[in-house]
């Protein structure tokens, strides 16, 4: 499958845009989508449908038919809520039509993407149109919850939930409530997802798995193996290609 990430769009909170194509000659495929703390807005051919994906708490097997093209924009953890207009826990482990959230503007955007000219690269043109629409929506939206950045930084560093709550001036119960709204997860789950994603990056960079476990913040390699299987459903070694 042809998967490639594009440069991060010039709008706050957008991590990247991406394009994935399945050759018409390919058999029917099932792609394993694993938790990353992000929310993706995806245009999906041949149905010309716009969907909102995630945040996920476990593996999400996704069938891909031959000839399918997907064009997506990815929100960084905690950044999607103002633009989409619903709390993140309402989208957890879900795939929701964008029209349910944006109404007629989502229909118009889907039509614009479907009408992209076939040459030289329809996916690139669709990505440009999707990026522009999402960036405009982000710039017009309310600011994200101010705890988002320090919570992500603190949890990614390995700080305890209590220490992160103290750092942002909240009790642990308040932190959980606001984390659910912003990230779709409580802080403990978010920390597990961020640690898993760091392990995945380190492993894909070629580091031995014992080193990956320590670098990502696990107690040891068996601890990492257990958590990776819980979140991804397969060993880390099965996820070492970027489209896994």
């Amino acid at each position: 499958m042809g998967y490639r990430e594009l440069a991060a769009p010039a709008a706050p909170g957008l991590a990247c845009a991406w394009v994935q194509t399945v050759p018409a000659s390919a058999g029917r495929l099932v792609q394993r989508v694993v938790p990353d703390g992000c929310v993706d807005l995806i245009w999906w051919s041949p149905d010309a449908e716009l969907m909102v994906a995630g945040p996920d708490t476990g593996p999400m097997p996704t069938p891909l038919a031959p000839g399918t093209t997907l064009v997506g924009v990815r929100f960084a953890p905690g950044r999607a809520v103002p633009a989409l207009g619903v709390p993140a826990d309402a989208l957890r482990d879900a795939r929701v039509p964008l029209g349910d959230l944006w109404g007629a503007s989502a229909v118009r955007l889907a039509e614009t993407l479907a009408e992209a000219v076939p040459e030289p690269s329809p996916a690139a043109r669709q990505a440009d149109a999707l990026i522009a629409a999402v960036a405009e929506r982000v710039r017009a939206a309310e600011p994200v919850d101010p705890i988002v950045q320090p919570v992500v930084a603190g949890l990614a560093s390995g700080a305890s939930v209590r220490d992160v709550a103290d750092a942002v001036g909240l009790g642990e119960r308040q932190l959980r409530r606001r984390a659910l709204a912003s990230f779709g997860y409580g802080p403990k789950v978010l920390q597990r997802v961020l640690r898993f994603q760091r392990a995945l990056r380190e492993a894909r960079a070629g580091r031995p798995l014992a080193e990956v476990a320590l670098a990502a913040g696990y107690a040891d390699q068996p601890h990492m193996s257990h958590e990776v299987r819980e979140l991804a459903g397969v060993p880390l070694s099965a996820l070492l290609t970027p489209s896994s």
Side-chain angles (χ1 to χ4, degrees):
M1 289 182 293
Y3 172 88
R4 60 190 176 96
E5 291 187 0
L6 310 176
L14 298 183
C16 69
W18 54 270
V19 172
Q20 182 168 356
T21 57
V22 181
S25 59
R28 188 171 182 84
L29 303 170
V30 178
Q31 178 170 304
R32 181 183 300 270
V33 177
V34 297
D36 59 5
C38 299
V39 173
D40 285 47
L41 197 161
I42 306 169
W43 182 83
W44 195 300
S45 78
D47 297 329
E49 187 174 23
L50 277 163
M51 302 290 293
V52 179
D56 297 324
T57 59
M60 183 70 69
T62 304
L64 297 175
T68 296
T69 296
L70 296 90
V71 179
V73 171
R74 181 166 298 143
F75 290 88
R79 298 302 192 101
V81 169
L84 296 180
V86 294
D89 54 339
L91 303 171
R92 185 175 56 238
D93 293 323
R95 300 297 182 261
V96 177
L98 184 63
D100 289 357
L101 308 180
W102 284 7
S105 62
V107 175
R108 291 193 295 270
L109 177 56
E111 291 172 348
T112 297
L113 298 177
E115 292 168 359
V117 297
E119 297 295 341
S121 174
R125 291 176 182 269
Q126 288 156 346
D128 288 344
L130 184 57
I131 289 168
V134 175
E136 179 180 359
R137 193 88 178 198
V138 167
R139 286 190 286 265
E142 295 293 322
V144 298
D145 188 324
I147 72 164
V148 164
Q149 184 173 342
V151 166
V152 170
L155 294 176
S157 75
S160 70
V161 172
R162 175 171 300 202
D163 286 345
V164 171
D166 288 344
V168 297
L170 297 174
E172 290 186 53
R173 185 174 297 180
Q174 292 173 306
L175 175 61
R176 174 175 169 75
R177 176 172 50 80
R178 286 171 66 173
L180 284 170
S182 290
F183 303 105
Y185 312 130
K188 290 183 180 179
V189 175
L190 176 62
Q191 187 167 56
R192 292 178 66 210
V193 170
L194 294 174
R195 183 168 53 196
F196 160 64
Q197 281 294 320
R198 181 173 179 183
L200 192 53
R201 291 192 299 272
E202 296 282 352
R204 285 175 174 170
R207 295 187 72 171
L209 294 187
E211 293 182 12
V212 168
L214 294 178
Y218 293 101
D220 50 31
Q221 190 172 342
H223 178 211
M224 178 179 72
S225 297
H226 174 75
E227 287 221 341
V228 168
R229 279 191 174 274
E230 283 203 343
L231 289 168
V234 294
L236 187 58
S237 59
L239 300 171
L240 297 189
T241 57
S243 60
S244 297

